[in-house]
Each structure stands twice: as C-alpha cells, then as structure tokens.
Amino acid sequence: MLTKKQIQLLEFIHRRMSRDGVPPSFDEMKDALDLRSKSGIHRLVTALEERGFIRRLPHRARALEIVRLPDALAAASDTEPAMAGKPAGRGFSPRVISNVRPARPRGAISVADSPAIDLPLVGRIAAGVPIEAISDAAHHVAVPGTMLSGREHHYALEVKGDSMIEAGINDGDVVVIREQDNAENGDIIVALIEGHEATLKRYRRKGAMIALEAANPAYETRILPEESVRIQGRLVGLIRSY
C-alpha cells in the first residue's frame, strides 16, 4: 500500500517522463509535492524503489526508471490521451536505445512505419557552453521508427558537454530531435542563439524573454530576448553507446 505522497510523486515522475522522456530533478519533485527540502523526496524515492515501483539506474545522474504503476495510475494512463492541459499526441513514450552506432551514409530518408529509420547525424550540439551551429549531415544513425512521431522531419545530434546531465543526457549521447520552430515551457529544445551558437537546453518563456535552463547546477540559466533565440527542434529520443 502506497501513501498519498508516494502516489503523488510516482504520478508526477510518470507524467514528466511521458512528456520529456527524462525524469524530473529532485528540486522539481520537491516543488511539485510542496515539500520544504529534498530529503523528503529522497525518502519517498527510496520507499518507491523498495516497493518495486521505480528503479534507480547506476552511474547516471538523477536517472530513474518506472518499473510498474499502481492499478489506479495504470488505468488512468491507458485511458487519458495526454497530460492535463496538453493535446493528444503531444508527449512521447520515453526510451533510451543503447549500443547504436552511426551507420554509413545512405540515401534520402522517409519517416514511415518501419523497424528502423536512418536519420541524418548533423553534427554536435552543446550541452554546456554553446558551440558553433550544427552543420550538414556527415553520416546517418538508425533509430526505431516508433521513436519518431508522425511524418514530421527528424534529425540526430551528438551531445557535447554535461549541462543536461541531471536530465539524464550525458556527454557523447545522441539525441533525436523533431524539427519544429515552437516549444512549450519545460520542453528540451535545440536553440540557435543569435544565428551562430547551437545549444540543447530546457525552454522557458518569460514575457518577451527566453530562459534557456541547464540541468546541472554548475551552469547558469541564460536569459535572452526572444529575437535572439530560434527554436530548431524538440527532444523526442535518446541513443546511448556504452
């Protein structure tokens, strides 16, 4: 039997992972449950792990995996088309694909239903201090077709840096990006800053300003005028090689 707070936390983690593909930070969990300190979150996470509802993944910052849901939450997850306040299809089922390495260049791609789709790996994206803008595709990487949504354009980028490590995104990972020029608060996006710096950050709009938030306390949030930031896509998947 789970306590009310344990159920609330499990539901919050489940909703955030369904939306972003990565678990929330302990600070975000604390704020969501209106607790005073993160020690309470640590106790709740430990209790959920001991009861077999979640699993902490070793050697990865803030990495959680939901093993199972209580019957009530599982039923709600099956019947609700999307998170509250979001249209159906807005989120995605989080998955990390391991041991996938870039394939040789191939011809044109098509995002259709198939076991695997070749996406262009168009360069490196900074999860840290912004680096030069992404370039043309050098080669391709194969990803499961189920990771991609509809027939929108997608591409892949290699992550350079550790500013998103608490979002479960490590240096050397390959992120799968759905090409789009808009975002909602909390989305992890590819942002092009002043036309020449590309970075992977969490998006927040604050009036006429855009906040690009890191998921690592060693990095400060960058606040920029909206005209200086161009959204080039949203994170929809992650590929990791060990």
Side-chain angles (χ1 to χ4, degrees):
M1 180 72 68
L2 296 180
T3 67
K4 182 178 179 181
K5 284 293 187 184
Q6 289 167 356
I7 292 174
Q8 288 176 345
L9 179 60
L10 188 59
E11 182 178 17
F12 178 64
I13 295 171
H14 173 62
R15 288 183 177 275
R16 284 295 300 271
M17 292 184 70
S18 295
R19 187 190 75 179
D20 297 340
V22 292
S25 69
F26 276 52
D27 281 323
E28 290 169 329
M29 296 181 205
K30 175 178 67 69
D31 293 342
L33 271 66
D34 197 25
L35 298 180
R36 294 188 192 181
S37 69
K38 289 189 287 187
S39 62
I41 294 297
H42 282 282
R43 287 193 294 271
L44 290 172
V45 168
T46 299
L48 289 171
E49 185 177 30
E50 290 174 347
R51 287 161 176 77
F53 288 96
I54 64 174
R55 177 166 53 231
R56 279 184 270 203
L57 305 179
H59 312 303
R60 288 169 55 189
R62 203 193 69 180
L64 299 175
E65 179 180 56
I66 294 179
V67 178
R68 63 189 178 96
L69 294 172
D71 292 341
L73 282 184
S77 178
D78 290 339
T79 56
E80 291 178 4
M83 292 173 53
K86 288 184 178 286
R90 179 70 178 88
F92 70 99
S93 297
R95 59 186 65 200
V96 176
I97 308 300
S98 301
N99 298 319
V100 179
R101 298 190 180 276
R104 292 184 179 181
R106 299 187 181 181
I109 66 169
S110 173
V111 180
D113 291 336
S114 66
I117 302 294
D118 279 347
L119 291 185
L121 186 64
V122 299
R124 288 183 172 182
I125 184 73
V129 179
I131 55 177
E132 62 183 306
I134 53 180
S135 58
D136 295 333
H139 43 249
H140 290 69
V141 61
V143 305
T146 53
M147 183 180 283
L148 311 179
S149 53
R151 293 184 175 271
E152 292 90 347
H153 293 290
H154 296 73
Y155 58 92
L157 291 163
E158 181 184 355
V159 174
K160 181 68 175 177
D162 62 356
S163 77
M164 299 301 290
I165 193 168
E166 289 194 2
I169 303 170
N170 299 336
D171 183 47
D173 286 347
V174 172
V175 289
V176 178
I177 304 297
R178 185 175 75 184
E179 189 174 347
Q180 58 186 67
D181 60 6
N182 58 80
E184 295 185 8
N185 284 340
D187 286 346
I188 295 177
I189 66 163
V190 173
L192 189 65
I193 301 171
E194 296 181 346
H196 65 275
E197 294 180 328
T199 190
L200 186 72
K201 293 291 184 292
R202 196 177 296 278
Y203 170 91
R204 305 277 181 194
R205 173 176 283 277
K206 299 182 179 181
M209 307 296 285
I210 302 298
L212 298 177
E213 298 178 350
N216 183 334
Y219 295 85
E220 294 183 355
T221 296
R222 297 188 67 181
I223 308 294
L224 300 161
E226 59 181 337
E227 62 269 18
S228 298
V229 178
R230 193 170 77 212
I231 298 169
Q232 294 196 310
R234 182 173 71 89
L235 173 73
V236 296
L238 179 68
I239 300 168
R240 175 164 298 148
S241 295
Y242 292 97

